[in-house]
Amino acid sequence: MTEQTSPQRRFWLGGKRADEQDRFFREALEPLGWQQGDEDVWDAAWITGMPEIKQFRRVTPQRSMNHFPGNAALTVKSRLHDSLASLRERIHASHGAESELAQRLAFFPRAYVMPHDYHALQAAALAAPEQRWILKPTNASKGKGVRVLQDVAQAPLAANWLVQEYLANPHTIRGHKYVLRLYVLISSIEPLRVYLYRQGFAKLASEPWDPDDVDNPYSQLTNPDINALNTDAEVPVEFIDLERYRHWLREQGHDDEQLFAKIEDLVTLTVISALDAIKQRTAQVGADPRGCYELLGLDCLVDDTLKPWILECNLSPSLGICAAPESGGLIEERVKGGLVHDMVALLGIGVATVSDSSLLAEAQAEQDRAGDFQCLLPSFETEQYQPYFSLPGLADIQLADAMAGQAVPRPQLARRHVAELLDDDQLALYATHTHRYYRPNDTAALIWLLATEGLDPDAIADELARSASIVGDEPLDHQVLHQQVWSTLAQWCRDGLLCQRGTQDASRHASEAPSVKANATPQAMQLVFDSKRWALYLPSGPVMNRLTALFAGALVPLSDEAAIHLPRLEVLMETAGYSLAADGKVFAGRLTLAQLGPALQGYLLRQARTADCLVLDAGLLITPQGTGALCLFPISERVDVAQRLVSAANGVLTRGVRLSLASAPTIEPLGLPIPEIIASEVPGLPERIILQGVLGDGGQDVAAEWLSKVPPLDMLGMLLACGVFDDEVPAAPDSVIAVGESLGGLSCRLLGREAPTHTALSNWLADLEEARCITEQKTLSPRGAGATRTSTL
């Protein structure tokens, strides 16, 4: 007989990544005789990112791919938080928030997904004003877009953003913040098999940790792509492998075994939290789970009590070499090369593996090939993790039986978010949390009734078989019947109708996250501005706290009786953000809490218009000497300039100016506070001052700090752009001409690309003061005896 040879095996390297990312996978397979294929011809696929669904449908136990459908439940930041939060909610419902099972889940920071959780975030921030928050894009990598929020009210209302509790007490290495990069392998989901690689890295920030320097990414963030840009650092990217890290911990007197036991528990529970979503999506796509696996890069922060916190799970973790050879690059190369080599061996890719069909033999053979991978699941201590599954799969239970050498305890189930409707012998189920309606067939209805009476899945299958024999039906296949019962119950558990029975009644004690609602009766406040009054209705604590702090003494409580007689202003809570309404008509919508005050101020400025005056929505700097300077640059974008200007002048910067066209350059401060500048409340202001200078914004086109000569017509254009005009009544030509003429004698300067120094601003203000003194002398001279002196603070 002629010996038959196996066909050539081919691997496909897909997705967007540099060749160095594929290097280790190639080096693991090519010595075994594998050759490179393409997206049409492959036996093993190594893909960066997610492949097309059609490729998932090609996987088999002999054709493998490095992803599971549904892995977004781990690798998208918002989905990861949802997975963990759902698991915690389920454990709280079944065992209580103070149970040991619940305490083991306290390893992930609170997080809020924008825009849906915006109001809940503001309520949480109000309740814990000392808490800092970090903003992250939900599906980005390499640290892109990550920053600490100076003001949580500025959280964006756009989708795909996550705001997370900022962990302000990190453990440090030589004073530098660090994050542990762990490598996690899911080799199977039926049954669930999870491994943690014994090696990994501590990734260090390139500058010392400074809790007050929240805007410095080189102190706050550890991502190598960000720190590589720090040209001032002697070692911008530094990796310490876990073996050296653990040795260092022991030298510092810490228990590294205890820390890594917590890490192993954290990793295992995190994967379990996403299992239902992965299984469901894998079934929807039509992928054979036996041909899928997943290598994840899990980032974990260790705080100063040596407690680990999960930050994120990364899809297709980088296998490139980030650190310089002397800063850990050589060890990084060795670790990542060993990681891929051991993974290929563990999975049996590239070699013919002989195993029997038993789950135990398959798991044991895999562990024999594991190299430096440590098996987390399956565990000999079944009871340690079984309660965290919505319902263990039949394969998980059978493998646990085989490992224990006897039947392990079967889970019992309890009702959760469900209402039962019975009509004679007919059953319907209504999910109270999703509003889905279920009409089980006769067999499924019997499974439901037996499960809610306390029978475990195997006992239910036995009862169904007994019932079938009593009525004379054909004998049912034992394995098929058990699989049907477990699958039916698993789906109801995934949908939240059932959960594993614990120490509490889940139907009565479900730990639901409280919804954030507007006050039942919005609080009426009197708002005073420009000698006018309004009744302003505020819907929630965060809004009340924000606006009363901004408007200070201009906002005071108002009785309902008094409010009836005043024009009505309202802050309305939307699903995402807020809107503003006047007399029942919305004039601004989709506002963040930070935008709410400025938008309300804009409305007030529109109410300050008069027939013979021009209102400017601009900043006004007033010095103690009575010098006035208009600030036409966007203060929120140039806060550093505004703060430096206030400091140099020892003055006050407010919003809003009314310019009298008949007596220009006399102006009237409207005195609205500027949130980025105001400390408490605006002090008393003069009724009128004489304008001496204007500071505009030249933008990026102006390279110098100052452009000494600005044509009045150019400055007029900037000034008119700040005008608050009536949309239905155009500006009169005479008014425009009068404003332009008033600029002729003023000191007009432009901001450039670089902010002016404190000295440069002080010199400019001194010039304004000198001009004021000259004007004042002329006013007090015999020829100007009839003039009035400029008001001062």
Side-chain angles (χ1 to χ4, degrees):
M1 178 180 290
T2 303
E3 181 179 355
Q4 296 196 6
T5 59
S6 60
Q8 182 66 55
R9 306 281 281 174
R10 296 185 181 275
F11 59 84
W12 169 37
L13 305 175
K16 296 180 180 179
R17 72 193 303 155
D19 288 342
E20 67 170 0
Q21 300 275 28
D22 300 324
R23 165 189 162 195
F24 299 119
F25 194 77
R26 190 190 303 273
E27 290 176 354
L29 289 182
E30 286 180 342
L32 300 175
W34 284 62
Q35 294 183 1
Q36 185 159 350
D38 54 33
E39 62 179 313
D40 297 316
V41 180
W42 57 273
D43 299 284
W46 181 255
I47 312 296
T48 300
M50 289 299 287
E52 297 178 0
I53 290 178
K54 67 178 182 181
Q55 297 292 2
F56 275 120
R57 292 174 178 152
R58 298 180 63 192
V59 299
T60 68
Q62 292 75 41
R63 182 184 289 126
S64 62
M65 178 179 287
N66 65 318
H67 293 300
F68 282 101
N71 58 21
L74 289 169
T75 61
V76 174
K77 297 178 184 66
S78 57
R79 295 283 305 281
L80 171 63
H81 180 268
D82 288 346
S83 298
L84 289 168
S86 296
L87 173 56
R88 179 172 59 190
E89 178 191 333
R90 191 170 71 242
I91 292 298
H92 284 189
S94 60
H95 291 80
E98 303 303 321
S99 66
E100 188 270 339
L101 290 177
Q103 295 306 308
R104 282 169 59 191
L105 288 169
F107 57 75
F108 60 101
R110 281 186 300 170
Y112 300 87
V113 181
M114 299 298 104
H116 179 267
D117 295 336
Y118 184 85
H119 294 300
L121 169 64
Q122 302 309 322
L126 180 62
E130 73 288 348
Q131 175 66 51
R132 286 179 173 174
W133 305 87
I134 190 165
L135 177 68
K136 299 179 178 181
T138 58
N139 198 17
S141 59
K142 300 182 179 180
K144 295 177 182 176
V146 178
R147 63 184 175 91
V148 178
L149 283 173
Q150 293 281 13
D151 182 359
V152 73
Q154 295 175 344
L157 294 177
N160 302 322
W161 289 97
L162 181 83
V163 180
Q164 191 176 62
E165 276 185 313
Y166 179 67
L167 300 173
N169 60 324
H171 193 236
T172 60
I173 297 177
R174 302 190 306 274
H176 291 248
K177 181 178 179 179
Y178 67 90
V179 165
L180 299 182
R181 164 52 61 91
L182 310 169
Y183 295 102
V184 179
L185 177 64
I186 306 173
S187 64
S188 168
I189 58 172
E190 295 178 0
L192 181 60
R193 298 198 297 265
V194 181
Y195 296 84
L196 175 65
Y197 202 57
R198 288 185 172 86
Q199 270 287 26
F201 305 100
K203 304 183 293 183
L204 275 66
S206 56
E207 292 188 4
W209 161 249
D210 183 351
D212 297 322
D213 193 9
V214 295
D215 289 330
N216 182 358
Y218 307 131
S219 166
Q220 303 290 331
L221 305 180
T222 63
N223 187 279
D225 294 276
I226 290 176
N227 283 281
L229 303 176
N230 188 1
T231 56
D232 294 331
E234 183 177 349
V235 181
V237 177
E238 182 178 5
F239 281 20
I240 299 175
D241 64 280
L242 291 187
E243 183 179 353
R244 286 193 297 153
Y245 170 70
R246 296 185 68 161
H247 178 73
W248 174 79
L249 285 178
R250 292 192 294 271
E251 286 184 335
Q252 302 299 310
H254 299 304
D255 188 342
D256 67 309
E257 292 289 345
Q258 185 181 62
L259 170 61
F260 276 80
K262 294 177 182 177
I263 289 174
E264 292 159 15
D265 196 45
L266 173 156
V267 169
T268 307
L269 293 174
T270 296
V271 174
I272 290 174
S273 76
L275 182 60
D276 284 348
I278 293 174
K279 281 186 175 181
Q280 194 150 10
R281 182 59 180 162
T282 299
Q284 290 173 349
V285 166
D288 187 337
R290 295 173 298 173
C292 298
Y293 64 96
E294 193 80 52
L295 180 67
L296 299 164
L298 188 148
D299 285 341
C300 175
L301 182 138
V302 179
D303 70 20
D304 58 10
T305 68
L306 252 62
K307 174 182 177 178
W309 297 80
I310 187 171
L311 298 182
E312 61 187 37
C313 287
N314 292 275
L315 179 74
S316 301
S318 171
L319 296 177
I321 308 305
C322 302
E326 66 278 7
S327 304
L330 294 178
I331 297 177
E332 183 186 3
E333 182 176 15
R334 185 169 70 246
V335 169
K336 290 181 177 179
L339 168 73
V340 176
H341 181 274
D342 287 352
M343 179 190 68
V344 168
L346 181 153
L347 296 168
I349 299 174
V351 296
T353 58
V354 179
S355 65
D356 61 36
S357 59
S358 76
L359 294 171
L360 180 61
E362 184 181 41
Q364 186 60 59
E366 193 174 78
Q367 292 180 33
D368 292 343
R369 302 189 301 265
D372 267 346
F373 276 102
Q374 174 188 359
C375 181
L376 302 183
L377 283 179
S379 170
F380 282 98
E381 299 177 358
T382 304
E383 68 282 357
Q384 185 178 9
Y385 290 107
Q386 180 173 301
Y388 292 100
F389 290 82
S390 63
L391 183 69
L394 179 57
D396 296 290
I397 290 293
Q398 291 174 338
L399 177 56
D401 286 347
M403 292 176 63
Q406 61 183 359
V408 299
R410 269 41 177 174
Q412 292 181 312
L413 302 175
R415 299 173 182 84
R416 195 175 177 208
H417 302 296
V418 65
E420 298 171 320
L421 298 91
L422 293 169
D423 182 16
D424 293 332
D425 59 348
Q426 298 295 305
L427 172 70
L429 303 173
Y430 178 70
T432 56
H433 62 309
T434 62
H435 310 295
R436 285 186 59 188
Y437 186 70
Y438 298 77
R439 281 288 285 116
N441 61 28
D442 290 344
T443 301
L446 183 55
I447 292 173
W448 175 270
L449 294 174
L450 294 174
T452 54
E453 288 176 1
L455 273 67
D456 67 56
D458 281 355
I460 294 172
D462 293 340
E463 180 63 24
L464 290 179
R466 189 184 68 83
S467 299
S469 64
I470 291 176
V471 298
D473 290 344
E474 294 184 9
L476 300 174
D477 183 280
H478 181 80
Q479 180 66 21
V480 172
L481 181 58
H482 277 70
Q483 184 64 58
Q484 179 185 1
V485 171
W486 280 87
S487 296
T488 300
L489 293 173
Q491 185 61 55
W492 285 331
C493 288
R494 279 196 293 269
D495 291 350
L497 279 68
L498 296 173
C499 69
Q500 291 195 59
R501 190 181 298 276
T503 58
Q504 297 194 26
D505 183 348
S507 64
R508 294 190 297 111
H509 299 283
S511 177
E512 301 286 357
S515 59
V516 179
K517 299 180 180 179
N519 293 338
T521 304
Q523 175 66 51
M525 304 290 287
Q526 177 179 269
L527 175 60
V528 180
F529 172 72
D530 193 32
S531 301
K532 300 182 180 71
R533 295 189 305 152
W534 288 266
L536 175 62
Y537 290 85
L538 306 181
S540 67
V543 174
M544 175 73 71
N545 190 65
R546 188 80 177 189
L547 293 186
T548 51
L550 175 62
F551 285 98
L555 204 58
V556 295
L558 185 66
S559 68
D560 292 338
E561 294 179 1
I564 295 174
H565 304 289
L566 295 177
R568 184 184 182 97
L569 284 173
E570 296 175 89
V571 177
L572 306 173
M573 289 180 68
E574 300 177 345
T575 302
Y578 305 89
S579 60
L580 282 166
D583 295 324
K585 295 182 179 180
V586 174
F587 61 84
R590 200 167 176 79
L591 302 169
T592 66
L593 187 58
Q595 295 168 334
L596 193 56
L600 180 57
Q601 289 180 339
Y603 172 82
L604 297 178
L605 289 177
R606 290 193 293 275
Q607 311 313 305
R609 294 174 301 199
T610 61
D612 58 346
C613 291
L614 174 64
V615 172
L616 300 178
D617 189 356
L620 175 63
L621 177 73
I622 308 173
T623 69
Q625 296 78 26
T627 302
L630 280 178
C631 298
L632 304 183
F633 59 90
I635 292 173
S636 62
E637 299 174 13
R638 306 295 297 267
V639 174
D640 57 336
V641 176
Q643 292 174 335
R644 201 172 297 169
L645 191 62
V646 170
S647 174
N650 192 26
V652 177
L653 182 62
T654 65
R655 178 182 177 184
V657 174
R658 193 154 45 205
L659 175 62
S660 173
L661 302 178
S663 57
T666 299
I667 60 175
E668 183 182 351
L670 293 174
L672 289 172
I674 298 174
E676 295 85 359
I677 303 299
I678 186 173
S680 55
E681 61 179 289
V682 177
L685 300 176
E687 292 185 3
R688 291 179 178 81
I689 63 172
I690 295 180
L691 188 64
Q692 297 286 351
V694 183
L695 184 56
D697 186 13
Q700 296 298 312
D701 296 334
V702 179
E705 290 183 358
W706 296 94
L707 192 62
S708 57
K709 293 182 179 180
V710 182
L713 292 180
D714 289 350
M715 190 58 72
L716 175 62
M718 295 183 189
L719 188 145
L720 290 175
C722 298
V724 180
F725 299 104
D726 188 330
D727 295 336
E728 299 179 0
V729 181
D734 291 345
S735 301
V736 175
I737 294 172
V739 172
E741 290 176 347
S742 69
L743 295 174
L746 302 182
S747 174
C748 299
R749 300 294 178 93
L750 286 181
L751 290 176
R753 185 182 310 132
E754 301 296 330
T757 64
H758 189 281
T759 300
L761 290 170
S762 296
N763 291 338
W764 180 60
L765 291 168
D767 292 341
L768 296 186
E769 172 61 14
E770 183 179 347
R772 184 191 68 83
C773 290
I774 294 173
T775 301
E776 193 171 80
Q777 289 174 1
K778 291 180 179 179
T779 301
L780 296 176
S781 66
R783 288 179 293 177
T788 57
R789 185 177 181 181
T790 305
S791 299
T792 60
L793 286 173

